[in-house]
Amino acid sequence: QVQLVESGGGLVQAEGSLRLSCAASGSIAWINLMGWYRQAPGKQRELVATITRDGNTKYKESVKGRFTISRDNAKNTVFLQMNRLEPEDTAVYYCNMGVTRRDLTYVEVWGQGTLVTVSS
């Protein structure tokens, strides 16, 4: 069993910053792709950013230059540094990981979600 625990959401004013964290625990051999998604009220879940095991990153166009994804492979943790936040960034943020377990089976795992609210 693999579980993800997120932290770091909250209420912030526009132009402020937040840092999200997501730590994996359980039967883990290694973690391939890590990512952050978000879902705003009444909208579909969308990809925000991803990072490969060797550090290659991709971003949603609207967050480029404001958000930075990073990871700590030793701690099975992914981070999302969010700067210059905008009201349009308000959403529940979910982390996602592609995990190879110790029995060498693969599983995709989601965090429980953390709410980010940006006030204008």
Side-chain angles (χ1 to χ4, degrees):
Q1 191 80 339
V2 177
Q3 292 183 325
L4 305 185
V5 177
E6 300 181 31
S7 61
L11 174 64
V12 64
Q13 289 188 329
E15 295 298 311
S17 297
L18 282 174
R19 180 177 169 88
L20 305 182
S21 300
C22 174
S25 63
S27 177
I28 299 169
W30 64 83
I31 302 175
N32 305 301
L33 192 67
M34 294 181 173
W36 288 95
Y37 291 71
R38 68 187 183 187
Q39 187 166 18
K43 295 188 177 181
Q44 290 190 332
R45 191 174 297 189
E46 62 181 8
L47 178 64
V48 176
T50 60
I51 184 167
T52 64
R53 184 168 177 79
D54 57 2
N56 292 317
T57 59
K58 291 185 179 180
Y59 294 93
K60 177 181 171 62
E61 191 65 32
S62 64
V63 309
K64 285 181 180 178
R66 300 189 297 122
F67 291 9
T68 301
I69 188 170
S70 61
R71 62 190 284 169
D72 183 334
N73 290 331
K75 295 182 178 180
N76 294 325
T77 300
V78 63
F79 306 95
L80 186 67
Q81 178 66 44
M82 304 184 293
N83 298 328
R84 303 200 324 267
L85 281 158
E86 304 169 353
E88 294 74 23
D89 296 317
T90 295
V92 177
Y93 284 70
Y94 299 90
C95 60
N96 173 273
M97 297 188 186
V99 177
T100 297
R101 294 183 286 201
R102 292 195 189 107
D103 63 2
L104 300 185
T105 57
Y106 177 86
V107 64
E108 185 178 3
V109 191
W110 289 89
Q112 81 280 11
T114 186
L115 178 62
V116 172
T117 304
V118 185
S119 62
S120 57

